[in-house]
Amino acid sequence: MTKVDDNYPKQGISNEEIKRKFAEAAISDTPTPIKHDFATEMIDLPSQGYFYPEGHPLCSGKLEMKYMTAKEEDILSSATLIKQGVVIDRLIQALIVDKVNYNDLLVADKNGLLIAARILAYGPQYDVEITCPSCGAKNQLAINLNQFESKDLDFSKFTKGETEFEYRFRDGKVITYKFLTHGDEKIIEQDIKGYNKVSRTLGIDTQLSTRLKHIITSVDGNREKAVVSKFVDGLLSSDSLTFRRHLKEVTPDIDLTFSFACDSCDHIDDKMMLPLGVSFFWPGA
Ligand SMILES: [Zn+2]
């Protein structure tokens, strides 16, 4: 992930500052190649461009992002987008300079962009109030966003451009699976919403099986959705667990959890989820 220079202004960068930066660049001896009339930064993707089909714009493993301006702050203040729960996605989409289909982004890469965009806009310090889940005390934290790094993946185990991988279960069944993209996550969310009515009456949580049905792309060479679905529904818990452990090991990821220790009681949570609300991108909002 791109490390941001500590000298970078901690507060949001104004249009004036961007103009000044470019004015400085224009008078410096070495000509700066300026492709756009706005400031941008190349961001390294956690996937390093693996797991996208050959020729895909994300294959390079880098993505050009613009610095946040008042235009993007307008997105953040849109009550409609906030209500729809899409405000952060719209923001990231607006910041991406390259022509890419946002739905194609692997979840890990999307999270990488999220952290990078926040650091570019306001620096790595994230002041946030965390309510202790044990005693309810409000803790004021200053989280260093530079701690959220991509998982160390052994990329030598993968072939660049390959988007599907094989896995063999104990009974000899061979499946192929893929890593989820933002687009997949949206479909899964809709599926789960659809099942919710049924599952509530039955008291069943379909979250896990629904996800597996999207991750697994074929069973013994058969790519039919009905076949995959039947296979997942009949999967033994122990096999499901082993497969999920395997997935956790090989899936590109940015761990967005941090260690939390309450000021008011002895509660410690090593895996607290980083709160990613609108205030993540708009300190003091
Ligand atoms: Zn507490």
Side-chain angles (χ1 to χ4, degrees):
M1 206 171 106
T2 303
K3 289 278 186 303
V4 171
D5 187 343
D6 275 336
N7 298 324
Y8 205 77
K10 295 274 190 282
Q11 290 311 309
I13 182 161
S14 67
N15 277 332
E16 275 64 38
E17 278 167 331
I18 292 172
K19 278 182 203 144
R20 189 175 47 77
K21 272 179 83 113
F22 275 98
E24 279 169 10
I27 53 165
S28 74
D29 294 339
T30 37
T32 316
I34 298 172
K35 281 199 294 177
H36 321 282
D37 55 355
F38 44 83
T40 67
E41 193 87 24
M42 289 307 280
I43 309 294
D44 293 319
L45 298 174
S47 69
Q48 296 187 16
Y50 278 68
F51 325 123
Y52 292 102
E54 227 174 293
H56 192 281
L58 292 165
C59 270
S60 70
K62 289 178 191 300
L63 204 53
E64 191 173 13
M65 256 190 148
K66 58 181 280 208
Y67 283 84
M68 230 161 88
T69 64
K71 210 171 118 191
E72 283 74 37
E73 289 188 337
D74 282 347
I75 296 176
L76 285 175
S77 61
S78 158
T80 316
L81 294 180
I82 293 170
K83 208 173 151 207
Q84 290 170 346
V86 295
V87 64
I88 300 288
D89 286 321
R90 285 296 164 80
L91 173 74
I92 303 294
Q93 262 174 295
L95 292 174
I96 297 174
V97 177
D98 307 70
K99 267 211 162 9
V100 291
N101 184 344
Y102 189 70
N103 284 336
D104 289 352
L105 268 174
L106 289 172
V107 176
D109 287 345
K110 194 190 98 173
N111 287 339
L113 293 177
L114 196 78
I115 300 285
R118 168 52 164 81
I119 293 176
L120 283 181
Y122 303 109
Q125 186 179 318
Y126 175 33
D127 296 314
V128 66
E129 187 179 87
I130 305 274
T131 304
C132 172
S134 176
C135 74
K138 292 191 187 329
N139 289 248
Q140 307 298 332
L141 299 185
I143 298 174
N144 177 6
L145 295 173
N146 281 329
Q147 72 181 285
F148 301 103
E149 294 196 327
S150 341
K151 182 163 90 188
D152 258 335
L153 265 194
D154 184 0
F155 284 97
S156 69
K157 284 184 181 162
F158 300 98
T159 309
K160 212 169 178 194
E162 245 170 42
T163 57
E164 275 187 309
F165 318 95
E166 237 177 51
Y167 180 85
R168 184 180 294 270
F169 283 94
R170 284 180 307 171
D171 62 0
K173 270 204 165 23
V174 176
I175 59 145
T176 53
Y177 65 91
K178 63 170 189 175
F179 299 140
L180 296 176
T181 62
H182 174 69
D184 293 325
E185 289 285 358
K186 278 203 310 200
I187 296 169
I188 290 171
E189 212 175 288
Q190 276 165 10
D191 277 5
I192 289 170
K193 257 189 212 153
Y195 291 136
N196 262 355
K197 218 176 146 192
V198 186
S199 50
R200 261 202 302 272
T201 25
L202 296 171
I204 301 166
D205 186 1
T206 56
Q207 174 110 341
L208 185 66
S209 60
T210 308
R211 294 186 79 79
L212 283 179
K213 285 170 190 174
H214 285 274
I215 289 169
I216 298 174
T217 51
S218 77
V219 178
D220 286 336
N222 194 325
R223 304 183 72 89
E224 275 175 59
K225 279 210 167 311
V227 172
V228 173
S229 185
K230 199 175 161 214
F231 171 76
V232 170
D233 287 335
L235 197 57
L236 290 173
S237 308
S238 58
D239 285 340
S240 167
L241 184 67
T242 321
F243 176 56
R244 279 182 284 130
R245 279 195 184 132
H246 167 77
L247 273 179
K248 202 171 164 26
E249 202 184 299
V250 297
T251 308
D253 196 12
I254 284 197
D255 184 1
L256 291 181
T257 61
F258 66 100
S259 290
F260 168 78
C262 181
D263 289 337
S264 306
C265 72
D266 56 4
H267 182 75
I268 290 174
D269 186 348
D270 282 333
K271 292 261 163 223
M272 183 161 280
M273 191 63 197
L274 180 70
L276 291 172
V278 173
S279 66
F280 182 69
F281 274 104
W282 210 345

